[in-house]
Structures are given as structure tokens and as C-alpha cells.
């Protein structure tokens, strides 16, 4: 046996279960539900899915795939393109899969990420025939140590009939000990989650499973696919500065200190860039309690700004992967990975008083947010954890650039074409143009702040024209709309490739 494998395989009796990826893939049956580890291109199954792709070249096989969140190309790109995936949930972020979803070739169940464990417990998702779980080690006492994410793996492991482990020996051994695996009991019988600050550890360092379920072990040396975020630009840096000034005003008002409250930042370039803005600020001793630890978090740890960071996944660009995983011992006592049921749990988000920063696709003049559907019909990625956090956070903040497609699209519209987060869950909106603090405001009061502070100048007159006419048409109703025109901006975009139109002067 390879000494590297022997070192990671604490239970020596499992050595006879080591098989090839092809042999493991042959165990997967057509028409079954398969759980896979992984959350946002981290800690995902890699070699067995690729063996399934090869198998699909010679036989028809379709499976339902449930994960923590989006996975790397081995699953979300290659498995989809090979026609293996029948249904996918609860989140994805791949262009090939997205195209197939929007052509009705894959069924997609978009869901709040904190809710999936309950759906497994209730049998709504399942029965799970197989779990393919990437691990960095199996301890002597039978704990499976996940790699760079936890996601839904603990609940899948509890309910799956069979477990296939991808033992990935390319991941650093320093990952052993950073996980905190706590799984709540059945609803109606469970205790309160015993956590009063994000730095507490309340569970075990690995996933405890019925060892008889382990059907096969496949050795892997495939690294995680790197994150696709891009560096901050002038506009995202401006958004960061606007948000930092907002926090300063909250401190002045006595609502925060310069340690703020635990921070959550959504996945993606804009949210990462906004978080990066803390590096040169006066804020310090920060705690991150998020779902994903992106580049910005480790930059802030290096800058001495963040003292502790907890999430369910570590997702890094190639440059940061080398820096962090090549020196993980430096960060091991400052980070923690938990199941997504815990990282995204409403009970904890509210108890800890999180400041939540997530990205919007579009928002309307009353504060409703669309974060999933392009023009109301075409799925982009999914709601992810943004709803878990926005509804329950101390501050629910949404960030977006005020325009898209070179200025043809306004991110602020009369009415969103799809609602993911209602106005009731949106406290603050930030674009490169400015900020709108919507707390305590009635719908018509929000309109002025959103249009004047956040909309792109090219669309302000057009937005005011719509609102003023809607106000007159409805006699100043609680939420003025001209129903025949509310989605006309999206219709104009579909017909003319732009939301811009001439405003008739009174």
C-alpha cells in the first residue's frame, strides 16, 4: 500500500475496500438518488463522477444528484454534458448545466441551503442510494475527515444506504482538526444548538458513520477546481468604501463597535471585493461567520483584521490555494468548517447578530431582490444561502453594480422579474453609485433613496417617470404600480436588447 494512503487510513481493516474509480462507478445504479460531497467547487467528489462520465459513453445511466452547493467541472460540467444528471439540487454554478436547465434537459430544485438536511430527514429527498464523499483521512476511531468543505455530507452519510469514499491524499493533513461536525436531532425533539459565539466548537472533528455502509474507497489526488472570482475593480472598491462609511455611521449611532458583528459574505467577485475593502480600514478583531471562506477572508487574516472565520467551505483562487494550503498550519487555529445546516442555520444567524452581505442580480424601486433568474425565466445559479442569511441577519445587505451588459441593462427596475428576497428582508442596498438604508421606511419612502442613491444616472429619469405615473394612476396606493408596464423594461430588453427607452416630457 502507498505509504501516503496507509498514513491516512487509520482503520486498517478498510484497506480491502480500496477499488478503482471505474469499479466504484459501476456500483451506481440507473435511476437512483446520489448524494455527493462538495460546496462551491471545494471538497467535491471528482474521480468517481469522471468514471461515471466514461461509463455513460457505453450505456444509458441517469441519476438525481444532491450536494451541498455547486461543484467543480467533474460533476456540474462533465456529468451534465454526458447526460447523466436527471435532477440536480440544491445549487449549481456551471454554464453547461445552466444551459441544460434552461432548455428543460435537467430538472433543477433551487432551495435555501439550510433547508436541505430537513428534507433528507423527512424523506422528501431520497432514498439516497449512494453518497460519494471526499475525505482527507479516516481516523482510528472511524471518523471520516472531510476535505475542504462539509456541506450536506453529515446528513447524507446518516441517511445514505451506501458510502463511497474518495480518499484524497493531495489535500494537506493539516485539515485534520479544523472541522466541527454537529448534527441536530429530529425536529420537535432536538435541543437548542449550543453555540453562543462563532468561535465555539460543539461537535466532532469528523463525520461518524456506520462503517458497514462503506462500500468502496477510491484513492484520489485531484485538487479542487480554483475559484473563478476576479480581482476588485474601481467600482467594487467604491462599493466597499461606501459600505465601510455606512458601518462608521452605525458606530457613531451607537449600534456597532469597530469590531462590528460577525460578518457573512456571499459567493462571488462583488461580495469578495467588498469584504476585501476591510483590509485598509480601522476595523479590527473581526469574526467571519459565513458559508464560504473566499480569498478576502484569508487576506484579512494575514492583515491582522480577522481573528476567526467559520463556514462550511473554503473556496480559493489558484494563487490563494497555493498560499493557504501550502501553509495551512498558519491558519488552522483561526478557521473552522461546519455542516451547512449549522453555518446557515436561522437560529444561529439571529442569535449571533450577523451582518449579511450578498449579491443581487436586480432589485426594484421598493427593495425587492431577484438573485436567481435572468429576465424572470432563465436560471443563473440559485438562491444558495442568501435567503438563510438575509431574513435572519441583524443587517441584510445586498450589493450589485447599478448596470449590466455595458449599460444596456439597469439593475434597478420598476418591478423585479422574479422575487427571491422580499422588501421585508432587505435592509440596505449598495451599488457603485451609493447606498440606500431602507430600515424603518414605508415603500414610497424607499423609492427616493433607491433611485437617487443607487440607480445609474442613465436610468434615473426613466425610473422617476414610471414611479410618478404609477403614483398618479393608483392615487398614491401603498405600493404604486402600473401593472401593464411593471415588467415593460424586461420586454423592451427582449425585443431591443436594451432597457433604455425615451421618456415623454410632460
Amino acid at each position: 500500500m502507498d505509504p501516503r494512503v496507509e498514513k491516512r487510513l487509520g482503520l486498517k481493516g478498510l484497506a480491502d475496500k480500496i477499488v478503482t474509480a471505474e469499479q466504484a462507478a459501476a456500483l451506481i445504479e440507473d435511476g437512483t438518488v446520489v448524494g455527493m460531497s462538495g460546496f462551491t467547487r471545494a471538497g467535491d467528489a471528482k474521480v468517481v463522477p469522471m468514471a461515471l462520465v466514461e461509463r455513460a459513453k457505453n450505456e444509458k445511466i441517469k441519476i438525481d444528484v444532491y450536494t451541498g452547493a455547486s461543484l467543480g467541472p467533474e460533476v456540474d460540467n462533465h456529468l451534465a454534458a454526458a447526460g447523466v444528471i436527471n435532477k440536480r439540487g440544491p445549487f449549481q454554478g456551471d454554464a453547461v448545466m445552466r444551459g441544460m436547465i434552461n432548455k428543460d434537459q435537467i430538472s433543477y430544485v433551487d432551495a435555501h441551503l439550510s433547508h436541505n438536511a430537513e428534507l433528507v430527514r423527512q424523506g422528501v429527498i431520497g432514498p439516497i442510494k449512494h453518497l460519494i464523499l471526499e475525505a482527507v483521512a479516516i481516523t482510528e476511531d472511524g471518523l471520516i475527515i472531510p476535505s475542504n468543505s462539509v456541506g450536506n455530507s453529515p446528513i447524507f452519510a446518516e441517511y445514505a444506504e451506501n458510502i463511497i469514499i474518495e480518499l484524497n491524499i493531495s489535500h494537506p493533513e493539516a485539515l485534520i482538526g479544523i472541522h466541527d461536525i454537529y448534527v441536530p436531532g429530529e425536529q420537535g425533539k432536538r435541543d437548542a444548538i449550543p453555540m453562543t459565539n462563532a468561535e465555539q466548537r460543539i461537535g466532532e472533528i469528523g463525520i461518524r458513520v456506520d462503517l458497514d455502509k462503506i462500500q468502496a474507497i477510491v484513492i484520489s489526488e485531484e485538487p479542487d477546481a480554483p475559484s473563478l472570482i476576479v480581482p476588485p475593480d474601481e467600482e467594487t472598491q467604491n462599493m466597499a468604501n461606501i459600505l465601510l462609511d455606512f458601518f462608521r455611521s452605525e458606530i457613531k449611532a451607537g449600534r456597532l463597535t469597530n469590531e462590528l458583528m460577525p460578518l457573512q459574505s456571499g459567493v462571488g467577485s462583488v461580495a469578495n471585493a467588498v469584504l476585501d475593502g476591510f483590509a485598509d480600514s480601522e476595523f479590527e478583531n473581526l469574526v467571519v461567520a459565513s458559508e464560504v471562506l473566499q480569498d478576502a477572508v484569508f487576506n484579512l487574516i494575514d492583515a491582522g483584521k480577522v481573528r476567526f472565520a467559520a463556514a462550511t467551505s473554503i473556496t480559493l483562487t489558484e494563487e490563494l490555494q497555493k498560499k493557504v494550503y501550502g501553509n495551512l498550519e498558519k491558519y488552522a487555529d483561526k478557521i473552522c468548517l461546519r455542516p451547512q445546516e449549522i453555518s446557515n442555520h436561522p437560529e444561529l444567524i439571529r442569535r449571533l447578530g450577523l451582518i449579511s452581505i450578498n449579491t443581487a442580480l436586480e432589485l426594484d424601486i421598493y427593495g425587492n431582490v431577484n438573485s436567481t433568474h435572468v429576465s424572470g425565466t432563465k436560471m443563473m445559479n440559485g438562491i444558495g444561502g442568501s435567503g438563510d442569511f438575509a431574513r435572519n441577519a441583524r443587517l441584510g445587505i445586498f450589493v450589485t453594480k447599478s448596470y449590466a451588459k455595458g449599460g444596456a441593462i439597469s439593475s434597478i427596475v420598476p418591478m423585479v422579474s422574479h422575487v427571491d428576497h422580499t422588501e421585508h428582508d432587505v435592509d440596505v442596498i449598495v451599488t457603485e453609485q451609493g447606498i440606500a438604508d431602507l430600515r424603518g421606511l414605508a415603500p414610497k419612502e424607499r423609492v427616493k433613496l433607491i433611485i437617487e442613491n443607487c440607480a445609474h444616472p442613465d436610468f434615473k429619469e426613466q425610473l422617476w417617470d414610471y414611479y410618478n405615473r404609477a403614483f398618479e394612476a393608483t392615487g398614491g396606493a401603498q405600493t404604486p404600480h402600473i401593472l401593464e408596464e411593471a415588467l415593460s423594461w424586461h420586454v423592451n430588453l427582449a425585443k431591443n436588447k436594451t432597457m433604455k427607452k425615451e421618456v415623454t416630457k410632460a
Side-chain angles (χ1 to χ4, degrees), residues 300-364:
L300 292 174
I301 291 175
D302 288 342
K305 296 293 184 180
V306 166
R307 75 169 188 263
F308 192 81
T312 194
S313 170
I314 301 172
T315 303
L316 303 172
T317 59
E318 188 171 3
E319 179 183 356
L320 262 290
Q321 281 185 349
K322 294 174 183 176
K323 176 182 177 182
V324 172
Y325 297 137
N327 190 23
L328 191 59
E329 294 82 359
K330 172 184 175 183
Y331 303 98
D333 64 340
K334 298 180 179 65
I335 60 175
C336 175
L337 295 182
R338 300 186 170 110
Q340 69 193 69
E341 183 178 19
I342 300 301
S343 66
N344 292 35
H345 203 292
E347 175 186 335
L348 296 176
I349 294 167
R350 186 164 294 192
R351 181 184 299 156
L352 300 180
L354 265 60
I355 296 172
S356 169
I357 307 167
N358 287 286
T359 305
L361 273 182
E362 68 175 3
L363 55 101
D364 67 28

Side-chain angles (χ1 to χ4, degrees), residues 88-152:
R88 179 75 169 87
F91 188 85
Q92 59 80 39
D94 179 76
V96 169
M97 179 172 284
R98 183 184 307 135
M100 295 180 73
I101 290 168
N102 289 318
K103 292 177 181 175
D104 196 31
Q105 295 169 338
I106 292 176
S107 295
Y108 181 48
V109 183
D110 183 30
H112 295 297
L113 296 186
S114 70
H115 290 191
N116 281 261
E118 295 297 351
L119 296 178
V120 172
R121 284 192 185 92
Q122 296 167 25
V124 175
I125 293 175
I128 301 172
K129 187 69 175 179
H130 297 276
L131 165 63
I132 308 174
L133 169 60
E134 184 180 82
V136 70
I138 303 174
T139 66
E140 292 180 358
D141 58 347
L143 288 176
I144 299 175
I145 309 298
S147 54
N148 301 329
S149 72
V150 180
N152 276 320

Side-chain angles (χ1 to χ4, degrees), residues 6 8 16 35 86 98-99 145 168 192 197 216 230 236 244 305 326 328 369 449 478 491 497-498:
E6 189 173 11
R8 304 286 184 100
D16 60 355
N86 172 60
R98 183 184 307 135
I145 309 298
N168 193 321
N197 70 72
V230 298
T236 53
L244 293 176
K305 296 293 184 180
L328 191 59
V369 169
L449 284 181
Q478 170 74 357
V491 174
K497 301 190 184 312
T498 181

Side-chain angles (χ1 to χ4, degrees), residues 402-473:
S402 65
Y403 67 96
K405 297 295 183 184
I409 294 175
S410 174
S411 299
I412 298 173
V413 294
M415 178 186 283
V416 287
S417 55
H418 177 90
V419 181
D420 291 295
H421 314 283
T422 73
E423 58 189 293
H424 313 292
D425 301 331
V426 181
D427 295 317
V428 178
I429 292 166
V430 179
T431 73
E432 83 288 353
Q433 300 294 325
I435 187 168
D437 181 355
L438 308 180
R439 293 173 296 174
L441 299 183
K444 291 190 289 289
E445 293 177 307
R446 297 183 209 128
V447 172
K448 181 176 181 180
L449 284 181
I450 293 172
I451 296 177
E452 288 302 314
N453 294 0
C454 299
H456 192 279
D458 289 355
F459 290 97
K460 283 185 180 181
E461 185 180 7
Q462 196 171 321
L463 286 165
W464 275 123
D465 174 68
Y466 171 82
Y467 172 75
N468 289 331
R469 288 186 297 106
F471 185 94
E472 291 298 325

